[in-house]
């Protein structure tokens, strides 16, 4: 299923029509979450230690957000029930050949280019020329670079869209749980390696931002403040973004150093100076990253700067504005959240110290 020429994770290649059924409504009548169930193949063995080519069901399902569910529904219209969503036989529109298995790298690469062309056409039709995807000086995007783009998003979990932040956090958590991901185990090939690289680069960005804020006179608070200062000073700078092959190994080794990796957590308005045993978000055994989407107040890994306090107050102001036009029960919740954010900012102001005073 998975070859060196085809770097998409087998977890995606192994998806079949019907993998993401519409969920039953919850008891309170609200819609349940869509879950994707799939099989994995690597390192699946029977009691005698022989490889089981049929694979086995993944223990951890993926939480699917609306765009992913829509994409699966489109693919389910292309392939018959129970067939692989990327079945080669059903996607080979030109030759209609009786291929077996999933689409291979060459076809997927062409589809990425077709998608870019379609997106650019749509952007122009919609009068949004600034949203076109520029031609890439390094050539076609290809699967490896496309995968790196996905990893960039997973590693940085851009804030703003709550559903996406949860999804990316969940993906990071599932991919990071080397024990729960059957094809992951201890090896860091494929998506794991790419994710490690992007996570290390994101941590370096976070460290660089922290150094800049301190240099500009910002104060710092939180139980992990001293540790974060040390980590920021020790984190290497990565000039440019050309990633040599050896960098994967270095990234994995860097991330495994508990206590020195700084994770930006814009949704919680903090930097997480991650030590596994301190983490209140309960990362899985052996995980090298926090479950940032489940960040808990009062965690010993928390660090905040004056910028975080300012952003907390800005967000509180936005919530107050929303509360003013919301129905009463929702408005009360928003106002309470705004007050909580302001309290957090006040605690920062009351306890923050300069870097010199801390070290
Ligand atoms: S709970 Fe602690 S370890 Fe988890 S994300 Fe928040 S600060 Fe980091």
């Amino acid at each position: 299923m998975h070859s060196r020429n085809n770097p998409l994770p087998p977890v995606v290649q192994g998806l079949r029509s019907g993998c993401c059924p519409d969920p039953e409504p919850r008891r309170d009548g609200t819609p349940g979450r869509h879950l994707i169930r799939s099989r994995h193949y690597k390192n699946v063995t029977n009691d005698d230690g022989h490889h089981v080519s049929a694979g086995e069901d993944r223990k951890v399902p993926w939480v699917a957000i609306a765009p992913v569910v829509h994409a699966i529904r489109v693919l389910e219209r292309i392939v018959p029930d129970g067939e692989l969503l990327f079945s080669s036989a059903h996607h080979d529109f030109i030759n209609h050949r009786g291929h077996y298995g999933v689409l291979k790298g060459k076809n997927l690469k062409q589809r990425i280019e077709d998608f870019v062309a379609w997106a650019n056409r749509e952007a122009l039709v919609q009068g949004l020329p600034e949203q076109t995807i520029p031609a890439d000086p390094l050539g076609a995007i290809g699967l490896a670079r496309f995968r790196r783009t996905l990893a960039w998003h997973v590693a940085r979990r851009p804030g703003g869209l709550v559903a996406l932040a949860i999804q990316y956090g969940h993906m990071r958590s599932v991919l990071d749980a080397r024990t729960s991901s059957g094809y992951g185990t201890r090896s860091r090939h494929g998506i794991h390696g790419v994710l490690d690289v992007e996570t290390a680069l994101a941590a370096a960005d976070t460290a660089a931002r922290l150094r800049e804020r301190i240099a500009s006179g910002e104060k710092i608070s939180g139980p992990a403040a001293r540790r974060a200062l040390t980590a920021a000073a020790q984190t290497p700078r990565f000039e440019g973004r050309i990633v040599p092959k050896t960098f994967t190994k270095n990234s994995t080794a860097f991330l495994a150093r508990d206590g020195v990796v700084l994770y930006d957590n814009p949704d919680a308005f903090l930097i997480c100076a991650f030590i596994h045993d301190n983490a209140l978000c309960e990362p899985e055994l052996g995980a090298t990253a926090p479950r940032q989407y489940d960040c808990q107040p009062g965690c010993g890994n928390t660090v905040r700067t004056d910028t975080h306090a300012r952003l907390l107050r800005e967000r509180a102001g936005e919530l107050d504005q929303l509360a003013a036009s919301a129905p009463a029960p929702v408005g009360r919740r928003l106002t309470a959240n705004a007050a909580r954010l302001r309290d957090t900012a006040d605690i920062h102001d009351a306890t923050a110290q300069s870097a010199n005073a801390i070290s």
Side-chain angles (χ1 to χ4, degrees):
M1 294 290 295
H2 182 57
S3 76
R4 281 183 188 282
N5 297 328
N6 192 355
L8 271 191
V11 79
V12 174
Q13 292 176 294
L15 294 181
R16 288 182 181 272
S17 170
C19 65
C20 182
D22 288 329
E24 296 287 325
R26 297 191 182 102
R27 275 199 204 148
D28 61 4
T30 56
R33 272 189 166 177
H34 281 90
L35 297 177
I36 302 174
R37 302 205 174 268
S38 73
R39 296 179 78 74
H40 70 99
Y41 299 87
K42 223 173 187 177
N43 301 321
V44 179
T45 52
N46 60 19
D47 291 344
D48 299 326
H50 296 126
H51 180 243
V52 178
S53 59
E56 67 177 7
D57 285 335
R58 283 176 50 80
K59 290 187 182 65
V60 188
W62 299 79
V63 179
I65 53 174
V68 176
V69 178
H70 292 157
I72 289 175
R73 296 290 175 265
V74 170
L75 289 164
E76 283 175 335
R77 291 170 68 177
I78 298 174
V79 302
D81 273 356
E83 178 57 274
L84 291 162
L85 290 178
F86 290 100
S87 149
S88 188
H90 296 88
H91 285 271
D92 185 6
F93 304 120
I94 297 171
N95 297 317
H96 296 284
R97 281 177 297 183
H99 289 165
Y100 296 101
V102 290
L103 286 174
K104 301 294 182 290
K106 195 170 135 221
N107 306 73
L108 290 167
K109 190 173 161 187
Q110 184 55 48
R111 277 163 171 76
I112 292 171
E113 295 310 311
D114 292 347
F115 173 75
V116 171
W118 173 83
N120 285 345
R121 266 198 315 275
E122 268 308 290
L124 295 177
V125 168
Q126 304 295 333
L128 301 166
E130 70 284 359
Q131 293 198 16
T132 51
I133 302 165
D136 196 313
L138 296 178
I141 292 172
L143 281 173
R145 294 173 68 202
F146 183 61
R147 188 174 59 169
R148 195 176 160 203
T149 304
L150 293 179
W152 189 97
H153 283 278
V154 174
R156 286 166 182 77
R157 303 171 47 258
L161 294 169
V162 173
L164 277 180
I166 292 171
Q167 174 71 356
Y168 290 135
H170 177 76
M171 282 166 69
R172 163 83 242 186
S173 177
V174 169
L175 289 168
D176 190 58
R178 292 143 214 231
T179 45
S180 69
S181 174
Y183 73 93
T185 61
R186 293 278 151 191
S187 93
R188 303 301 278 171
H189 295 306
I191 187 73
H192 295 91
V194 180
L195 189 56
D196 281 354
V197 167
E198 288 306 323
T199 304
L201 291 173
D205 288 345
T206 304
R209 269 198 303 278
L210 182 57
R211 288 194 295 265
E212 279 164 19
R213 287 178 192 173
I214 291 163
S216 68
E218 287 201 30
K219 290 184 178 163
I220 176 167
S221 73
R226 184 191 299 266
R227 196 152 45 74
L229 289 177
T230 311
Q234 290 176 355
T235 303
R237 292 160 200 267
F238 300 109
E239 306 296 345
R241 285 292 182 267
I242 304 294
V243 177
K245 279 207 167 129
T246 50
F247 195 65
T248 305
K249 220 168 134 194
N250 297 344
S251 304
T252 307
F254 170 68
L255 297 177
R257 290 174 58 205
D258 203 24
V260 301
V261 186
L262 300 179
Y263 290 89
D264 188 26
N265 193 344
D267 300 326
F269 303 95
L270 56 83
I271 291 171
C272 169
F274 181 64
I275 285 189
H276 189 284
D277 289 350
N278 287 353
L280 292 187
C281 55
E282 299 184 357
E284 293 217 23
L285 199 67
T288 57
R291 295 167 71 236
Q292 285 158 284
Y293 59 97
D294 198 17
C295 188
Q296 302 292 324
C299 178
N301 291 338
T302 304
V303 184
R304 286 198 172 89
T305 62
D306 292 345
T307 298
H308 290 116
R310 177 175 53 76
L311 294 173
L312 279 161
R313 291 199 171 92
E314 281 176 16
R315 181 65 186 145
E318 288 166 9
L319 292 182
D320 279 343
Q321 273 185 2
L322 287 172
S325 55
V330 178
R332 277 197 294 279
R333 268 210 306 279
L334 290 169
T335 308
N337 275 342
R340 192 175 47 77
L341 297 183
R342 284 198 187 91
D343 287 349
T344 307
D346 290 346
I347 291 171
H348 168 82
D349 288 350
T351 58
Q353 293 178 285
S354 69
N356 283 344
I358 291 172
S359 49

